[in-house]
Amino acid sequence: MHKKLHLYIKCIALLIAIRSYSQVDTPQTIDSQIDKGIELMFQKEHSQSIELLITTEAIAKKNQWYEQVFRSTLNIGSNYYFLSDYGEAVLYYLQAYEIAIEHLDSRQEMTVLNNIGILYFQEEDLLQAKDYFFKAYQKAKLLGDEVKVGYYGVNLALVSNKMKAPDSAQIYINEALPLLKNEPNVLVTGRMAQSEMFLLKKQYAKSEDIALNLLPKFQDISQVENRVFILLVLAQINEDQNRLDKALYYGIEARNTQAGIENREEVYSYLSNLYGKKGQLENALVYKDSVIIASDSLADIRNSKLFETEKVKFQIQNYQHELSESKEVLKQERRFFYSIIGITLLSMGFILWIFRSNSIKHKQRKTIVELELAKEKSDYLLIQKQLHEQETLALLEQERFKNELEVKNRKLTAKALYLSSKNDLIEEVLQSLSQNTEIAENPELKKQIRELKNHLKTDTQWDSFFTHFEEINQGFLDRLRYKHDKLTPSDIRYITYLYMNLSNKEIASLLNITPQSCRKRKERLSSKLNIPNNTTLHNYLSTI
């Protein structure tokens, strides 16, 4: 019963811990949620992205995690920027800027300033854009961040070109390009700005050289706008030099590039003017109409984006309302939960008071159980010891059998060697007798010598040898024949000698062949048995 009480207490504590843990937010978890919001933004799921970022912003503000507040606010502004709601984007960018000034450092400040500059650049408010780019540029210089200096310098050069101030653009480009050697994407933008700058300064050869070098890099679909930009620069270079046909070629190339509606309006306008300059008024009027159509399409798109933005705003307002309601529900749930905890604690106190009287009995039972466990442990150790002794005896018995087998095999080997030497001796005697002229002329002796040779060939002693070998190494020959049914009796005899670990010299003596022939026979047998190159024949036979 007491054990059940402890289990009950543990369960309640675990529930409290889980509830508390589920409500714990950390800067790391908020950062993860912000990253998810940014991912949704680039997937054009702006409504979901803004909802998530508003939630992270509220949690970060509550906990005074200003880095997370800054990131949330900045990316809410970026969502509105992608929705072309530049007014709303500016408001959030300015909020992020205030947070950076009050609580963070210059790195966050210059990030916001650059974003605001880009926004004004898109709106073609060039003075404001240049002002914000320059502020970001100055802060990057104070921090000694050369890459950012280069990045913001390129932005300033692009604005200067738009403002028809190529001398100012050249100063920024000359400073920025050496700093962007390890930033290829920004470096390309810098080279584009440099090409446009040389065009404005009427240094056409330099501008054209840079543009022609950049053009092959813009084949990818993600580089469409850059390709249109460079093609228009090349067209303008040729137009300024009165090479109208070549200018028209680049203009049509820009038209054939599948660019956004904004680029198409610019391209159509340029082609209309160029055809007018060439005196081809019909084509000029066609492209003039195309400019009007593109302008109307752009207006429709902007109206569509405005509607989408307003829809997102409505969804966000609705979400904020739901968030407020959910917070109120959460407060009520917390009050209810705390009430449950209070009642639970009182109940546990009462239960503890009831079961306190049983604590001594529980301790006695625990002592008895511990003694029983100790006895069981002792019995278990005794059984383990007995098992270990049995294993040791089994190993000793196995070793004894192994030794006996080796002794019998040695005796069998000695017998085989004896038979071999006896047969060799008999053969030598027979050979000597055969060479004796008196015996060769005696038919009776020749008959007896022939019978003796036949007796040697019948090899009854070898049959006896194999019988003894099979008794000592029971089942080996049967397993061998079953596994390799194509072995000849001669092969099996050779294998038995190898299995007994006889040397090549000893086997050669037994088989009455040379050691070299013995080695070659071993190689042939290895091939016949399909033994891998990294395994010896003797080791393979030991596994059978």
Side-chain angles (χ1 to χ4, degrees), residues 194-208:
Q194 188 180 37
S195 178
E196 187 180 33
M197 178 269 295
F198 281 129
L199 170 63
L200 293 171
K201 290 172 74 71
K202 300 190 184 303
Q203 296 181 18
Y204 300 119
K206 291 181 179 180
S207 178
E208 188 174 24

Side-chain angles (χ1 to χ4, degrees), residues 332-496:
Q332 293 176 2
E333 286 180 354
R334 283 180 179 172
R335 285 196 292 268
F336 176 74
F337 182 69
Y338 293 144
S339 301
I340 293 295
I341 291 174
I343 294 169
T344 303
L345 290 172
L346 289 173
S347 301
M348 285 193 298
F350 180 70
I351 294 169
L352 286 170
W353 178 77
I354 291 174
F355 284 99
R356 188 176 179 185
S357 59
N358 295 326
S359 62
I360 296 173
K361 187 183 292 185
H362 172 72
K363 287 180 181 179
Q364 289 174 346
R365 289 177 180 173
K366 185 180 178 181
T367 303
I368 293 168
V369 170
E370 287 175 351
L371 290 171
E372 289 176 351
L373 286 173
K375 183 179 179 300
E376 288 178 1
K377 186 177 179 181
S378 176
D379 293 342
Y380 175 72
L381 290 173
L382 182 61
I383 291 168
Q384 272 194 327
K385 185 178 178 182
Q386 291 173 351
L387 287 172
H388 181 69
E389 288 175 354
Q390 289 176 1
E391 287 176 0
T392 304
L393 289 172
L395 288 172
L396 289 172
E397 187 68 15
Q398 186 179 357
E399 189 66 26
R400 185 177 67 80
F401 286 146
K402 185 178 178 182
N403 291 336
E404 287 180 0
L405 185 62
E406 287 180 356
V407 169
K408 288 180 180 179
N409 276 333
R410 280 197 294 272
K411 288 180 180 179
L412 193 58
T413 302
K415 183 176 180 180
L417 290 172
Y418 167 73
L419 287 173
S420 174
S421 60
K422 184 184 76 171
N423 289 344
D424 289 345
L425 180 60
I426 292 171
E427 285 181 358
E428 287 177 8
V429 171
L430 290 173
Q431 185 70 22
S432 176
L433 290 172
S434 298
Q435 292 174 357
N436 191 310
T437 56
E438 294 180 2
I439 294 173
E441 294 174 356
N442 190 328
E444 185 65 27
L445 288 174
K446 283 177 70 178
K447 181 181 177 182
Q448 291 179 359
I449 289 170
R450 199 161 43 248
E451 289 177 355
L452 187 57
K453 286 182 178 180
N454 291 333
H455 174 73
L456 286 174
K457 288 181 181 179
T458 57
D459 209 6
T460 56
Q461 294 294 334
W462 289 115
D463 292 338
S464 175
F465 168 79
F466 280 118
T467 303
H468 289 302
F469 177 84
E470 183 62 21
E471 287 176 358
I472 294 168
N473 303 279
Q474 291 182 0
F476 172 75
L477 292 177
D478 291 335
R479 292 192 299 273
L480 179 66
R481 291 189 188 98
Y482 176 77
K483 198 168 185 180
H484 302 285
D485 55 357
K486 294 184 180 180
L487 290 174
T488 65
S490 177
D491 292 334
I492 293 173
R493 175 182 294 178
Y494 183 80
I495 287 170
T496 57

Side-chain angles (χ1 to χ4, degrees), residues 242-374:
N242 206 29
R243 296 184 295 202
L244 299 184
D245 289 337
K246 200 167 185 180
L248 184 60
Y249 166 77
Y250 285 118
I252 292 172
E253 278 290 306
R255 182 202 65 188
N256 293 336
T257 302
Q258 296 297 320
I261 193 71
E262 297 89 347
N263 298 104
R264 271 183 272 171
E265 185 179 8
E266 184 180 2
V267 172
Y268 293 157
S269 179
Y270 176 77
L271 286 172
S272 176
N273 292 332
L274 190 59
Y275 274 118
K277 196 171 183 179
K278 284 174 66 65
Q280 299 179 17
L281 299 181
E282 186 177 346
N283 288 335
L285 288 172
V286 169
Y287 278 104
K288 198 68 176 177
D289 290 340
S290 297
V291 171
I292 295 168
I293 293 169
S295 179
D296 291 342
S297 299
L298 184 60
D300 290 340
I301 290 170
R302 285 176 175 168
N303 288 334
S304 176
K305 283 190 175 180
L306 181 61
F307 172 73
E308 183 67 24
T309 304
E310 294 302 322
K311 188 168 71 171
V312 169
K313 284 182 181 178
F314 173 77
Q315 290 174 348
I316 297 305
Q317 288 175 353
N318 186 49
Y319 172 72
Q320 287 175 330
H321 176 68
E322 290 176 356
L323 190 63
S324 300
E325 289 182 345
S326 65
K327 284 181 179 178
E328 186 61 33
V329 171
L330 185 62
K331 286 180 182 178
Q332 293 176 2
E333 286 180 354
R334 283 180 179 172
R335 285 196 292 268
F336 176 74
F337 182 69
Y338 293 144
S339 301
I340 293 295
I341 291 174
I343 294 169
T344 303
L345 290 172
L346 289 173
S347 301
M348 285 193 298
F350 180 70
I351 294 169
L352 286 170
W353 178 77
I354 291 174
F355 284 99
R356 188 176 179 185
S357 59
N358 295 326
S359 62
I360 296 173
K361 187 183 292 185
H362 172 72
K363 287 180 181 179
Q364 289 174 346
R365 289 177 180 173
K366 185 180 178 181
T367 303
I368 293 168
V369 170
E370 287 175 351
L371 290 171
E372 289 176 351
L373 286 173

Side-chain angles (χ1 to χ4, degrees), residues 6-25:
H6 279 287
L7 181 60
Y8 177 68
I9 294 169
K10 286 181 180 178
C11 288
I12 293 296
L14 182 61
L15 286 171
I16 295 170
I18 291 170
R19 176 77 177 189
S20 302
Y21 181 76
S22 65
Q23 295 178 344
V24 171
D25 292 305

